[in-house]
Amino acid sequence: MPFGFPPLKQEEFNTVAGWLSQGAPGPTPRQQEALEAVPDKDQMMVQKWETVLNMSEPKYQMTARYLYEHLFLAHITFETGSNEFYEIVRSRTKPGSDIDIIATVRPYDDPETEEFYYRFRKIYSTIVYKTHMVFSMGEDQYKRTHELFLKPVWMTTPHLVGYDSKMSANPFETFEQIPARSRYQWLLDNARYI
């Protein structure tokens, strides 16, 4: 009995051997659809956040970029009781359609397209605790984001900032137009995640 495991029955051995040679069977299309489905109670919050993160005004776009560049690793919960988690991604497609992820090495890398959208993608893979950094984007966070970023008058007229490799790697330069008090307070509010 190697490693203290009881011997396998022939049927079990054949199953494991099949997995090793061909791989385990994945979910059926119906099962995959169920895995990717967003519960109704989360769907309302997804729509609410995607609407504000994809507004065309520069103030909203720079706020969205700031949030994305800080939350790209987060497992987001909307505090709806669904016990589901999401990740924020940049997509070539608008909300309401399938996500087409813009894959970049770093969150501040150039998406290489003029138009992209911030989207929430459900995480349905196995949660690994060493990378499970939970961030709440419930109603309280929604109100706080408006209070810190969208409600105040910015000292500099809001404008879009490009993705020049040197500049975009420097958040102090990239987000200079966002009031320092707003940026700092958001970091303090979310110190546990940050």
Side-chain angles (χ1 to χ4, degrees):
M1 227 183 329
F3 307 111
F5 295 113
L8 293 175
K9 296 177 186 163
Q10 187 61 44
E11 184 180 316
E12 293 170 332
F13 176 82
N14 292 342
T15 299
V16 172
W19 288 347
L20 293 174
S21 66
Q22 302 169 23
T28 65
R30 190 173 182 190
Q31 291 168 329
Q32 185 65 32
E33 189 177 305
L35 285 171
E36 294 176 15
V38 176
D40 290 342
K41 47 185 156 182
D42 286 355
Q43 190 62 47
M44 286 177 34
M45 287 303 291
V46 167
Q47 288 172 343
K48 190 173 190 172
W49 274 104
E50 284 184 353
T51 298
V52 80
L53 293 178
N54 292 303
M55 300 280 269
S56 60
E57 293 87 1
K59 188 175 195 177
Y60 285 83
Q61 289 185 348
M62 289 308 296
T63 298
R65 181 172 172 177
Y66 183 82
L67 294 175
Y68 170 73
E69 290 188 18
H70 284 83
L71 299 175
F72 73 100
L73 290 175
H75 286 183
I76 294 165
T77 177
F78 295 114
E79 295 185 326
T80 60
S82 71
N83 204 28
E84 300 289 353
F85 297 99
Y86 301 83
E87 61 184 334
I88 187 169
V89 297
R90 292 187 293 188
S91 174
R92 291 177 187 84
T93 53
K94 293 181 178 186
S97 57
D98 289 344
I99 293 173
D100 180 13
I101 290 183
I102 298 171
T104 57
V105 176
R106 293 168 294 273
Y108 54 82
D109 285 347
D110 189 346
E112 297 180 1
T113 179
E114 284 294 314
E115 204 169 81
F116 63 88
Y117 305 89
Y118 294 103
R119 304 283 306 278
F120 291 92
R121 182 171 72 164
K122 184 178 171 189
I123 298 170
Y124 56 84
S125 59
T126 302
I127 297 293
V128 179
Y129 282 103
K130 69 181 180 179
T131 59
H132 188 51
M133 297 177 288
V134 178
F135 188 86
S136 170
M137 290 185 89
E139 287 291 345
D140 291 342
Q141 186 67 249
Y142 186 83
K143 289 174 189 167
R144 187 66 170 153
T145 298
H146 273 75
E147 180 184 322
L148 290 175
F149 295 100
L150 304 172
K151 192 176 180 183
V153 175
W154 293 11
M155 300 308 258
T156 305
T157 303
H159 59 280
L160 299 182
V161 175
Y163 286 91
D164 171 73
S165 59
K166 278 191 173 186
M167 186 181 145
S168 64
N170 181 347
F172 299 105
E173 197 174 336
T174 301
F175 301 115
E176 181 180 27
Q177 63 187 291
I178 299 174
R181 180 182 177 103
S182 298
R183 289 180 280 140
Y184 185 61
Q185 188 60 57
W186 188 85
L187 294 172
L188 286 177
D189 287 356
N190 301 292
R192 183 174 178 171
Y193 167 79
I194 300 298

